[in-house]
Amino acid sequence: MKIAMIGTGYVGLVSGVCFSDFGHDVVCVDKNPDKIAMLEAGEVPIFEPGLEALIEKNVAAGRLSFTTDLAAAVDGAEAVFIAVGTPTRRGDGHADLTYVMAAAEEIAQALTGYAVVVTKSTVPVGTNRQVKQVISRANPKAEFDVASNPEFLREGAAIDDFMRPDRVVVGVQNDRAAQVMAEIYRPLFLRDFPIVTTDLESAEMIKYAANAFLATKITFINEIAALCERVGADIKQVSKGMGLDGRIGNKFLHAGPGYGGSCFPKDTKALARIGQDYSMPMQITETVIKVNEETRRRMVEKIMDMMDGHLAGKTVAVLGVTFKPNTDDMREAPSLTIVPALIGAGARVRVVDPQGRREGEALLPGVQWVDDAYKAAQKADALVILTEWNEFRALDLKRLARKMTTPALADLRNIYSARDAKRAGFVHYVSIGRSDYT
Ligand code: NAD
């Protein structure tokens, strides 16, 4: 099957590459010529484990190519995927559909025979119908159907998530489109991964509902963690005791500095906005957004309290700035709130992150980048763990403490314990939802 993938970002690139690995002929399109030039030169513009090897394999097999020429990619394609960004629109929280609609216009002009135009981007209910209208208006002769196929992959584990999904959701209006979609996902269907076929609106809704639910789960445990700190309970034990209940499940029950990333913040805001538009306020989601913002603010207070409120002239080493491990994505990362707050309070901030520097340099002005945790700790007054990269999980705490002017550790991912820190010589240790000492 011939597939065109419009948008070669975290979702479009991974999806395109995985479809080519299924055996389809895939052309990935992006309007950013630098991205396409890199891909054509065998380089990968994002960090995603396993992606480079999979690209190399499928390019060599002749099933995968890259172009800026949308019309050439769409010509003869049986399915055209839209995987462009849908960021928060400035000012009102709505999903910005400018890129989706611009892509739809371009696709309309380029269609040469029957194709299914599939929206993979996360879009509000009603968008697929709007895409259909835009295409029909721009090219009344176009022979096509639309389909909604929201994506659930997680950055950092994207290939495995795509190849072994919990489910694939496909929203369609007729059998013809359903058959094309079934053909595309046949390799997964044959391996018994469930394909949920729905109408367009339900597919669009599933994505927002799923993301808002996950953001709620994270926020709930963060709020419970804050209460644990007051009442003297230990959030790790509480999460374990809760998560073993099959109705609750143990995933997304790790307390931390608040959710971030390219999806949860914008998708919760968009869902809240959709609720307002339809006079059905999403009160839980609105509260989640508010509590998550408070959680981030509390992190800054935690660090400040650990340092007795005196940050002026102090050096703070921050370990991890990407929104989670195994990605270079900095969108809405907690570091983007916490690091500027530390600098604002007069601290000098040193940063180390295995993949974050390329994106982070522009986003975190005024920090000093170093390449390992021990260098970051040299004569520092505080160490803050913000992202739980594997290489920060087994640090030699004694060695770190010896290097610091004031051995103080804010472990905002609960990787270590007060006992570990005390033994290693840290004079202060703060974490989330557990007993600390300052
Ligand atoms: P991204 O910003 O990484 O990539 C979007 C790409 O689309 C960019 O490279 C941009 O240049 C390109 N583009 C925009 N307009 C174009 C056009 N007209 N023609 C060709 N290329 C065009 O975005 P992303 O993180 O991959 O997200 C894409 C969509 O998938 C969003 O709706 C997002 O909510 C959704 N999603 C993302 C994730 C994730 O983990 N990142 C997971 C699930 C769903």
Side-chain angles (χ1 to χ4, degrees), residues 107-247:
I107 292 165
Q109 306 301 339
L111 286 172
T112 47
Y114 176 79
V116 181
V117 178
V118 191
T119 300
K120 207 168 228 331
S121 301
T122 302
V123 292
V125 179
T127 305
N128 273 273
R129 281 183 196 272
Q130 231 178 306
V131 165
K132 191 173 175 178
Q133 270 179 8
V134 165
I135 297 176
S136 298
R137 230 180 272 143
N139 180 0
K141 290 205 187 111
E143 207 198 332
F144 73 102
D145 281 305
V146 291
S148 167
N149 176 217
E151 183 49 58
F152 299 94
L153 62 77
R154 294 162 302 167
E155 288 173 21
I159 293 170
D160 200 49
D161 283 351
F162 197 92
M163 298 291 202
R164 308 171 48 76
D166 289 341
R167 79 313 205 178
V168 173
V169 173
V170 174
V172 284
Q173 290 182 303
N174 58 39
D175 283 350
R176 192 176 182 188
Q179 269 168 22
V180 171
M181 295 306 289
E183 190 57 33
I184 293 172
Y185 281 106
R186 208 171 126 79
L188 295 183
F189 180 68
L190 289 176
R191 280 156 54 215
D192 277 343
F193 292 105
I195 311 240
V196 182
T197 306
T198 69
D199 52 76
L200 293 176
E201 286 72 18
S202 302
E204 292 166 333
M205 196 66 208
I206 286 168
K207 176 64 191 176
Y208 280 112
N211 269 3
F213 188 83
L214 293 172
T216 303
K217 203 171 174 192
I218 295 174
T219 307
F220 182 83
I221 204 68
N222 284 339
E223 200 173 50
I224 293 289
L227 186 58
C228 284
E229 288 170 15
R230 296 283 166 96
V231 301
D234 179 331
I235 192 63
K236 277 210 158 178
Q237 295 176 25
V238 172
S239 293
K240 189 166 181 194
M242 282 172 69
L244 285 169
D245 184 328
R247 294 167 302 178

Side-chain angles (χ1 to χ4, degrees), residues 412-432:
L412 304 185
R413 296 289 180 174
N414 287 355
I415 296 175
Y416 300 101
S417 67
R419 214 168 66 162
D420 299 333
K422 201 168 232 167
R423 268 202 206 134
F426 278 91
V427 294
H428 303 298
Y429 176 79
V430 300
S431 63
I432 313 281

Side-chain angles (χ1 to χ4, degrees), residues 8 10-11 22 78 83 127 162-163 183 201-202 216 232 266 280 309 354 359 388-389 396 409 415-416 428 437:
T8 306
Y10 288 86
V11 164
F22 289 174
E78 292 149 277
T127 305
F162 197 92
M163 298 291 202
E183 190 57 33
E201 286 72 18
S202 302
T216 303
K266 80 172 174 66
M280 182 49 67
E359 286 287 310
E388 69 280 32
W389 284 91
D396 181 342
L409 176 58
I415 296 175
Y416 300 101
H428 303 298
Y437 59 91

Side-chain angles (χ1 to χ4, degrees), residues 272-283:
R273 191 67 220 193
I274 296 167
Q276 285 161 13
D277 288 352
Y278 284 84
S279 302
M280 182 49 67
M282 295 287 100
Q283 298 181 63

Side-chain angles (χ1 to χ4, degrees), residues 6-12 29-32 35 70 83-86 99 102-103 106 120-123 151-155 207 262-263 266-267 329 331:
I6 316 300
T8 306
Y10 288 86
V11 164
V29 184
D30 207 285
K31 62 177 183 186
N32 179 341
K35 273 193 186 176
L70 184 143
V84 301
T86 48
Y99 304 107
E106 279 186 75
K120 207 168 228 331
S121 301
T122 302
V123 292
E151 183 49 58
F152 299 94
L153 62 77
R154 294 162 302 167
E155 288 173 21
K207 176 64 191 176
S262 61
C263 291
K266 80 172 174 66
D267 294 348
D329 200 340
R331 287 178 281 187

